[in-house]
Each structure stands twice: as C-alpha cells, then as structure tokens.
Amino acid sequence: MRLARIATDSGPRPVCLRDGRWHEVADPFADTLTFTGPAHDIDGARLLAPSEPRVLLGMAHNGAPGDRDLPLQAFMKSARTVIGPEHPIVVDERLGKVVVEGELAVVIRRTCRNLRPENVPSAILGYAIGNDVTAVEQIALDDKLTQAKHGDGFTPLGPWIETDLDPGDVPIAVRVNGVTVAEASTEQLAWNVSEQLVHLTRYLTLGPGDVVLTGCPFTSGPVEPGDRAEITLDGIGTLSNPVRAL
C-alpha cells in the first residue's frame, strides 16, 4: 500500500493510492483506513513530505558492516529540515562542501518504547526515501552536528510511504544531474532496521509519524547550487530535489 500527503485547496491531506488515484483518508496510522471521499488524479497532485515527524533521527556510523565495531548511536535532526519532492535543498556556500546521502527512511506507526525484536514490525507504518543532506566540512567543527545537518531543506523525504517492503536488501542509487554517483544496498548497513529501533526505543519514545534515517552505505555525492539530486530506492521510487543557493 502506498500512502502520501498532497497539497489541496483546503490544505495538506493524507491520501492512499487506490485504483490509480490518490484517495483522502482520515488517519493514515489507523489499522484500518477510513476513506473520506475526495480523490485526486496522480498527474495533478502536488506531493508533500509524506510524514511530519516530531522526532527525526539519523543513524551514525552505520554505513558498512565494519561499523559494528563502533557503538550504535543516533543524532537528532530538526523536523524543520524536512521537505517533500521538488522542494529545494538550500545551500549556504560559506559552510563548505555539501553532500546528499541516499537512505532508507523508517516511518513509525504507533507510540513505542522498549521495543523487542518481535514487536518492531507492528511499530512501523512503512518506508520512504530519505536524503540526509550534510555540510561535511562542518562536522569537524561541531561534534553535535548542528552546523552540518540542519540547513533549510536538509532532509528531503518521500515521495510517499510504501507499507509493503522488505528493508533487508533495498538497492539505493544516487544521481546528480542525471549522472549516477553512488550505488549500494541496505544489506550493507552494519545494523538492520530491527536492531536500530530496539536500540533507539531503549532511550526515547517514538510516535506516529516519527522518522528514522537508517544510514548511508556509501550512497552520497557532492552537490552545489543549480544541481538536481535524485535518490532511487527499489520498491519505493525516486525522490528528486533541486539545489539552490541561500
């Protein structure tokens, strides 16, 4: 099942893809969806970020199997960095080199704390494409990553949530201006989705709509104003965003 958020004349609306159209739903997190009536053509719909997280986390040093020698940790990102498809990533060129990072994003379905592995699947609504944009030269200057991770538009998310996906081996491709700059798979991550959520919910509560960016398995590439970044995850689709100067 595919869930999204679209812009309408009455404001943002959650929708579900059914019979080739986006149908509005009352609550995308409900166990059984209630369709509220209006339907929208795919071609005319303007997609927004498919979730509005209160908590947005990125997994640190989770890009290769060797990272299991390091502690499993996460960093916070401001929810204000979240943008949808075609919204601009804004680059402040005074901060140095900026890279895009293609990642699998987990969208949480229900309030959860102290998850056990067997409870993880029911806590997940689905998966989206995440782009963990980073001003990499700022990392050495700020170990809390505030300067590196919190620019305007630094977390493109979308284009929708796919509820039926096996996260264990999802191919990821990163393209800049149509040229493929990186390819990998979630299979290369040191810690899988279940391990990440069990770890995170030991320390904090996650709730409906919260998002975890699961890690970058060498799926990054530099961008600058005027570029277009495209992240493709098999089984989900492609998330495309222009890059512009501050």
Side-chain angles (χ1 to χ4, degrees), residues 162-244:
E162 183 60 57
T163 63
D164 301 313
L165 184 76
D166 181 350
D169 185 10
V170 180
I172 302 172
V174 179
R175 293 186 298 276
V176 178
N177 300 328
V179 177
T180 299
V181 297
E183 292 182 296
S185 168
T186 58
E187 187 180 31
Q188 296 170 244
L189 296 174
W191 309 90
N192 64 36
V193 168
S194 180
E195 291 171 317
Q196 292 178 45
L197 294 187
V198 167
H199 172 78
L200 291 171
T201 59
R202 179 182 177 187
Y203 301 101
L204 78 165
T205 297
L206 296 175
D210 288 343
V211 171
V212 177
L213 304 172
T214 58
C216 171
F218 305 107
T219 46
S220 65
V223 293
E224 56 187 31
D227 287 345
R228 173 170 289 274
E230 294 178 306
I231 313 293
T232 298
L233 268 66
D234 282 15
I236 301 179
T238 297
L239 175 63
S240 181
N241 297 89
V243 182
R244 70 168 176 82

Side-chain angles (χ1 to χ4, degrees), residues 1-82:
M1 183 168 60
R2 187 168 288 176
L3 302 170
R5 290 173 63 248
I6 64 171
T8 75
D9 292 341
S10 302
R13 291 289 186 268
V15 291
C16 175
L17 187 64
R18 186 173 68 168
D19 300 327
R21 304 184 77 194
W22 291 116
H23 291 257
E24 294 187 22
V25 296
D27 179 7
F29 304 101
D31 291 337
T32 302
L33 294 180
T34 299
F35 292 88
T36 57
H40 306 266
D41 291 335
I42 291 178
D43 291 341
R46 183 163 66 91
L47 291 168
L48 307 173
S51 181
E52 295 182 288
R54 293 181 63 183
V55 176
L56 173 61
L57 296 166
M59 300 307 299
H61 42 70
N62 193 39
D67 285 344
R68 287 190 77 94
D69 296 331
L70 300 170
L72 181 56
Q73 293 179 328
F75 53 86
M76 302 288 291
K77 293 194 78 172
S78 168
R80 292 184 182 274
T81 65
V82 174

Side-chain angles (χ1 to χ4, degrees), residues 106-201:
V106 179
V107 182
I108 301 300
R109 180 179 206 142
R110 61 176 177 83
T111 301
C112 49
R113 182 72 189 268
N114 289 318
L115 285 172
R116 296 178 181 274
E118 60 269 24
N119 303 133
V120 168
S122 66
I124 296 173
L125 177 65
Y127 302 90
I129 300 170
N131 185 347
D132 181 19
V133 183
T134 306
V136 291
E137 292 179 23
Q138 296 299 310
I139 294 175
L141 307 177
D142 175 15
D143 62 0
K144 303 301 185 290
L145 301 181
T146 303
Q147 296 166 202
K149 298 282 189 179
H150 293 254
D152 294 337
F154 267 35
T155 314
L157 189 67
W160 40 67
I161 298 166
E162 183 60 57
T163 63
D164 301 313
L165 184 76
D166 181 350
D169 185 10
V170 180
I172 302 172
V174 179
R175 293 186 298 276
V176 178
N177 300 328
V179 177
T180 299
V181 297
E183 292 182 296
S185 168
T186 58
E187 187 180 31
Q188 296 170 244
L189 296 174
W191 309 90
N192 64 36
V193 168
S194 180
E195 291 171 317
Q196 292 178 45
L197 294 187
V198 167
H199 172 78
L200 291 171
T201 59

